[in-house]
Amino acid sequence: MKEIQFVDLQAQYKSIKDDVDRVVADVIDHSLFIRGPYVEAFENKFSALLGTPHCVSCGNGTDSLYIALKALKIKPGDEVICPAHSWISTSETITQAGGRVVFCDTNLDTFTIDTNQIESLITKRTVGIVPVHLFGQAADMDPILKIARTHGLWVMEDCAQAHLAEYRGKKVGTFGNVASFSFYPGKNLGAMGDAGAVITSDQELATYMAMFARHGGLTKGEHLIEGINSRMDGLQAAVLSVKCDHITKWTKRRQAVASYYLQHITNPRIQLPALAEYSTHVWHLFVIKCEERNELQAYLKDKGIPTVINYPVALPFLPAYEYLGGSQEQFPNAYHNQSRILSIPIYPELESDQIEYIVDSLNSF
Ligand SMILES: *Cc1c(COP(=O)(O)O)cnc(C)c1O
């Protein structure tokens, strides 16, 4: 059996090596490093994939959140509600854009923002909500959009882990005012370095974001506002364009692995991930829960199965957010989950003997 990785980027590269090598050589041959045809082609390809009119590429997923938040024109003291359990990019960019982070507890089973608690967090200063489609499954968008409409708030979707996931038959990223994506190498659609993008159907937001990401102008020498430098480079765009042609197939393969896991992992000590009726799951991560999580992780490590904890400390309990004074009682679900969750390997290139070995190992724990 081939060695099991947490994500096997080499196996993926091997499966598309000729195409990747060809476009990478072309970028280098023609010095298409910054902007240029590959970046434009990727933006068009990604928009078409998601069925959205505007895609602005940028340097990484964290920048994409920041760029979107700046375009939403956060003012000092504005409050933005986001889930208590996510990657720190979701919340740190709110602060960097000038806002104030307000954490909302997550749902115990789906791990996404608990929509029943959002309204109680809204104050006169609240301006927006940032749902995260965590682990590959959509947050419950209908109640979120309804709350946003009622209170005049914007919605920014963090889609870093959910490329092509669908909420009630429509792709995530197309519900809010704006949505952000990461193409970090290990994400479902991953570059060979850092890359990110924002999408929107709002022309004005799209223009502002394109300007802001490129020193405040759309053409060389134009600086209508002060911006930043956050560009997807030509090499990443070329690689991502090649991968765009495979993402649908890869997603189906992830779903096949997940459904095998769901059927065959039968150990009563292990709780399988919950499927929300309103969402497809693109399985960026397959997150199980176990009361003896650390023991299970060590057991799997001994068996040559790498696992990761996404994320071991929920955001309100990180030193970075001590100033908000969040308590366990305020975020009981995130607190409960952080000590029980464990992400097991899931990627399109997992082979059937590896999958069976992972299942057997989990069942024999
Ligand atoms: C990966 C990730 C990001 C940030 O993406 P980078 O490209 O690593 O900056 C943001 N939000 C979530 C939920 C993520 O998983």
Side-chain angles (χ1 to χ4, degrees), residues 60-62 65 86-87 89-90 132 158 160-161 182 184 187 195 311:
N60 57 68
T62 307
L65 290 162
S86 180
W87 178 238
S89 301
T90 308
V132 180
D158 182 340
Q161 302 191 1
S182 165
Y184 174 84
K187 297 285 158 79
Y311 300 93

Short mmCIF file of all heavy atoms in Angstrom, two decimals, residues 60-62 65 86-87 89-90 132 158 160-161 182 184 187 195 311, ligand 1:
data_model
loop_
_atom_site.label_atom_id
_atom_site.label_comp_id
_atom_site.label_asym_id
_atom_site.label_seq_id
_atom_site.Cartn_x
_atom_site.Cartn_y
_atom_site.Cartn_z
N ASN A 60 -3.96 35.76 -2.00
CA ASN A 60 -4.27 34.60 -1.15
C ASN A 60 -5.68 34.75 -0.59
O ASN A 60 -6.32 35.79 -0.78
CB ASN A 60 -3.23 34.44 -0.03
CG ASN A 60 -3.14 35.69 0.84
OD1 ASN A 60 -4.08 36.01 1.56
ND2 ASN A 60 -2.03 36.41 0.75
N GLY A 61 -6.13 33.73 0.12
CA GLY A 61 -7.50 33.74 0.63
C GLY A 61 -7.72 34.78 1.72
O GLY A 61 -8.79 35.38 1.81
N THR A 62 -6.70 35.00 2.55
CA THR A 62 -6.83 35.99 3.61
C THR A 62 -6.99 37.38 3.00
O THR A 62 -7.85 38.16 3.41
CB THR A 62 -5.59 35.92 4.53
OG1 THR A 62 -5.42 34.57 4.96
CG2 THR A 62 -5.74 36.84 5.73
N LEU A 65 -10.52 38.05 1.75
CA LEU A 65 -11.46 38.49 2.79
C LEU A 65 -11.26 39.97 3.10
O LEU A 65 -12.21 40.74 3.21
CB LEU A 65 -11.23 37.67 4.08
CG LEU A 65 -11.64 36.19 4.04
CD1 LEU A 65 -10.98 35.43 5.18
CD2 LEU A 65 -13.15 36.05 4.13
N SER A 86 -13.47 28.63 13.23
CA SER A 86 -13.04 28.76 11.84
C SER A 86 -11.54 28.96 11.85
O SER A 86 -10.91 28.96 12.91
CB SER A 86 -13.73 29.96 11.18
OG SER A 86 -13.32 30.11 9.82
N TRP A 87 -10.97 29.12 10.67
CA TRP A 87 -9.57 29.52 10.56
C TRP A 87 -9.51 31.01 10.89
O TRP A 87 -10.44 31.76 10.58
CB TRP A 87 -9.08 29.24 9.14
CG TRP A 87 -7.66 29.64 8.86
CD1 TRP A 87 -7.24 30.51 7.90
CD2 TRP A 87 -6.49 29.20 9.54
NE1 TRP A 87 -5.88 30.63 7.94
CE2 TRP A 87 -5.39 29.84 8.93
CE3 TRP A 87 -6.26 28.32 10.61
CZ2 TRP A 87 -4.07 29.64 9.37
CZ3 TRP A 87 -4.95 28.13 11.04
CH2 TRP A 87 -3.88 28.78 10.41
N SER A 89 -8.20 33.57 9.67
CA SER A 89 -8.36 34.57 8.60
C SER A 89 -9.75 35.21 8.63
O SER A 89 -9.89 36.40 8.37
CB SER A 89 -8.19 33.91 7.23
OG SER A 89 -6.94 33.31 7.12
N THR A 90 -10.76 34.40 8.93
CA THR A 90 -12.14 34.87 8.92
C THR A 90 -12.32 36.08 9.84
O THR A 90 -12.99 37.04 9.49
CB THR A 90 -13.09 33.74 9.39
OG1 THR A 90 -12.83 32.56 8.63
CG2 THR A 90 -14.54 34.14 9.23
N VAL A 132 -19.18 31.05 7.25
CA VAL A 132 -18.08 30.26 6.68
C VAL A 132 -18.66 28.89 6.30
O VAL A 132 -19.31 28.26 7.13
CB VAL A 132 -16.94 30.07 7.71
CG1 VAL A 132 -15.81 29.24 7.11
CG2 VAL A 132 -16.42 31.43 8.18
N ASP A 158 -17.41 33.21 3.33
CA ASP A 158 -16.04 32.68 3.30
C ASP A 158 -16.12 31.26 2.72
O ASP A 158 -16.56 30.32 3.39
CB ASP A 158 -15.44 32.67 4.72
CG ASP A 158 -13.99 32.18 4.75
OD1 ASP A 158 -13.56 31.50 3.80
OD2 ASP A 158 -13.29 32.47 5.75
N ALA A 160 -13.54 29.49 1.44
CA ALA A 160 -12.19 28.93 1.31
C ALA A 160 -12.17 27.40 1.33
O ALA A 160 -11.27 26.78 0.77
CB ALA A 160 -11.30 29.46 2.43
N GLN A 161 -13.18 26.79 1.98
CA GLN A 161 -13.17 25.32 2.10
C GLN A 161 -14.30 24.67 1.31
O GLN A 161 -14.57 23.48 1.50
CB GLN A 161 -13.30 24.94 3.59
CG GLN A 161 -12.19 25.54 4.45
CD GLN A 161 -12.15 24.96 5.85
OE1 GLN A 161 -12.93 24.09 6.21
NE2 GLN A 161 -11.22 25.44 6.66
N SER A 182 -10.06 30.79 -1.24
CA SER A 182 -8.63 30.57 -1.11
C SER A 182 -8.24 29.44 -2.06
O SER A 182 -8.99 28.48 -2.23
CB SER A 182 -8.30 30.15 0.33
OG SER A 182 -6.99 29.59 0.38
N TYR A 184 -5.08 28.09 -1.57
CA TYR A 184 -3.95 27.52 -0.83
C TYR A 184 -3.77 26.07 -1.33
O TYR A 184 -4.76 25.40 -1.63
CB TYR A 184 -4.30 27.58 0.66
CG TYR A 184 -3.33 26.91 1.59
CD1 TYR A 184 -2.19 27.58 2.03
CD2 TYR A 184 -3.56 25.61 2.06
CE1 TYR A 184 -1.31 26.95 2.90
CE2 TYR A 184 -2.68 24.99 2.93
CZ TYR A 184 -1.56 25.66 3.34
OH TYR A 184 -0.69 25.05 4.20
N LYS A 187 -6.24 23.28 -0.43
CA LYS A 187 -7.68 23.48 -0.58
C LYS A 187 -8.20 22.62 -1.75
O LYS A 187 -7.42 22.12 -2.56
CB LYS A 187 -7.98 24.97 -0.81
CG LYS A 187 -7.59 25.86 0.38
CD LYS A 187 -8.57 25.74 1.54
CE LYS A 187 -8.00 26.15 2.88
NZ LYS A 187 -7.92 27.58 3.14
N ALA A 195 -2.74 31.82 -3.44
CA ALA A 195 -3.62 32.50 -4.40
C ALA A 195 -5.02 32.59 -3.78
O ALA A 195 -5.38 31.79 -2.92
CB ALA A 195 -3.69 31.75 -5.73
N TYR A 311 -10.24 23.08 14.22
CA TYR A 311 -9.07 23.72 14.76
C TYR A 311 -9.08 23.47 16.26
O TYR A 311 -10.15 23.51 16.86
CB TYR A 311 -9.11 25.21 14.42
CG TYR A 311 -9.15 25.37 12.89
CD1 TYR A 311 -10.36 25.47 12.24
CD2 TYR A 311 -7.97 25.33 12.14
CE1 TYR A 311 -10.40 25.56 10.85
CE2 TYR A 311 -8.02 25.43 10.76
CZ TYR A 311 -9.23 25.53 10.12
OH TYR A 311 -9.29 25.60 8.76
C1 LIG B 1 -7.70 28.69 4.11
C2 LIG B 1 -8.72 29.58 4.70
C3 LIG B 1 -8.67 30.98 4.58
C4 LIG B 1 -7.46 31.72 4.11
O1 LIG B 1 -6.86 31.33 2.98
P1 LIG B 1 -5.28 31.58 2.70
O2 LIG B 1 -5.23 31.40 1.23
O3 LIG B 1 -4.54 30.54 3.46
O4 LIG B 1 -4.94 32.95 3.13
C5 LIG B 1 -9.75 31.71 5.04
N1 LIG B 1 -10.81 31.14 5.60
C6 LIG B 1 -10.90 29.79 5.78
C7 LIG B 1 -12.11 29.22 6.41
C8 LIG B 1 -9.85 28.97 5.35
O5 LIG B 1 -9.95 27.66 5.53
#
